[in-house]
Amino acid sequence: MAITVRKASESDIDLIAQAILESSRSGKNIGLFDLVFNTSDEELLLGHLKRLALTTTKSYCHFSNFFIAMSGGTSVGTICGYEPRIATHEIFSKALEEIGFDETYHERIAAYLLCEGEVDNKTFVLDFMLVKPEFKSIDVYKELIGKSMLTARLKGYRKVQTSIEIGSAENELIFKKLGFEMIDEKRSEYYKEQFDRAGIMRLQMLL
């Protein structure tokens, strides 16, 4: 299966919204964006996420941060790669405000904020990776992550990080197989109570 990777466009918005939702839930019934938007209705969530990915304000969820893996003219997967020094929490809040949501979401995601790792301005971040079930192979993941890391290098970064929930065995295996190493983890009973996972681990690769 020949895989090519390209920058996302507005026409990829359905896949991008699905990736944000599924990645944030990571096999659970509830994820970060269920709390941000205060609903678990999938149709509503996907609608909100599409609008969020298309805002004038370029948060880390903006479509321009995504890459799309293609095979035979079909979109088979996606990944987000962004610069946290640019796509800050403030920018995220501004993008949410643009689609009609205020900062009261902070209270609902308190457990997540307890376990979120701090990323310095010299680090490029990967997030929201999704490969369609029928196309899952290490080659697709390798191409998506490889293209993201090339972009990071071209922007002058020497470190790439991603965060996954402790217990997300599949994602942990994929990233470690491709050369990432765990650098830290944060655990919280509050997080476990809310998300049924022990906390969040960070994985890093030096470029």
Side-chain angles (χ1 to χ4, degrees), residues 39-198:
T39 179
S40 288
D41 182 294
E42 192 156 324
E43 191 175 338
L44 269 178
L45 281 170
L46 289 171
H48 293 327
L49 289 169
K50 287 176 192 178
R51 291 167 61 216
L52 181 62
L54 291 169
T55 52
T56 305
T57 305
K58 293 185 178 180
S59 73
Y60 64 93
C61 295
H62 195 266
F63 77 88
S64 61
N65 292 320
F66 283 78
F67 297 97
I68 306 293
M70 303 291 296
S71 177
T74 300
S75 303
V76 302
T78 186
I79 195 170
C80 174
Y82 68 93
E83 300 174 81
R85 67 184 180 85
I86 296 173
T88 61
H89 281 301
E90 290 75 22
I91 291 294
F92 179 67
S93 292
K94 187 178 176 184
L96 281 176
E97 187 178 333
E98 197 175 315
I99 62 170
F101 291 87
D102 60 30
E103 291 190 0
T104 54
Y105 76 91
H106 278 290
E107 299 166 19
R108 298 191 293 274
I109 67 167
Y112 172 81
L113 295 174
L114 279 174
C115 292
E116 183 186 34
E118 291 183 16
V119 181
D120 63 47
N121 287 339
K122 297 178 180 178
T123 300
F124 193 80
V125 172
L126 303 183
D127 208 342
F128 308 133
M129 182 169 65
L130 176 72
V131 174
K132 293 177 180 177
E134 63 270 32
F135 294 100
K136 279 190 177 182
S137 75
I138 194 65
D139 290 337
V140 180
Y141 291 111
K142 185 177 181 179
E143 291 298 326
L144 279 169
I145 291 170
K147 182 72 170 182
S148 304
M149 292 194 297
L150 176 60
T151 299
R153 286 192 197 97
L154 291 173
K155 289 178 178 290
Y157 288 93
R158 294 295 174 262
K159 292 187 294 184
V160 176
Q161 287 181 13
T162 192
S163 295
I164 62 173
E165 285 185 312
I166 297 167
S168 297
E170 182 183 15
N171 282 341
E172 183 179 353
L173 182 64
I174 290 163
F175 279 107
K176 285 184 174 178
K177 197 166 186 177
L178 293 175
F180 283 72
E181 296 181 352
M182 188 183 85
I183 55 172
D184 62 31
E185 60 179 38
K186 290 186 179 181
R187 296 171 178 260
S188 162
E189 285 300 319
Y190 187 20
Y191 192 97
K192 188 172 183 180
E193 181 182 316
Q194 191 158 51
F195 296 108
D196 198 30
R197 295 279 172 85

Side-chain angles (χ1 to χ4, degrees), residues 8-20:
S9 68
E10 293 185 22
S11 65
D12 300 301
I13 203 67
D14 288 344
L15 179 59
I16 288 169
Q18 194 69 46
I20 296 172

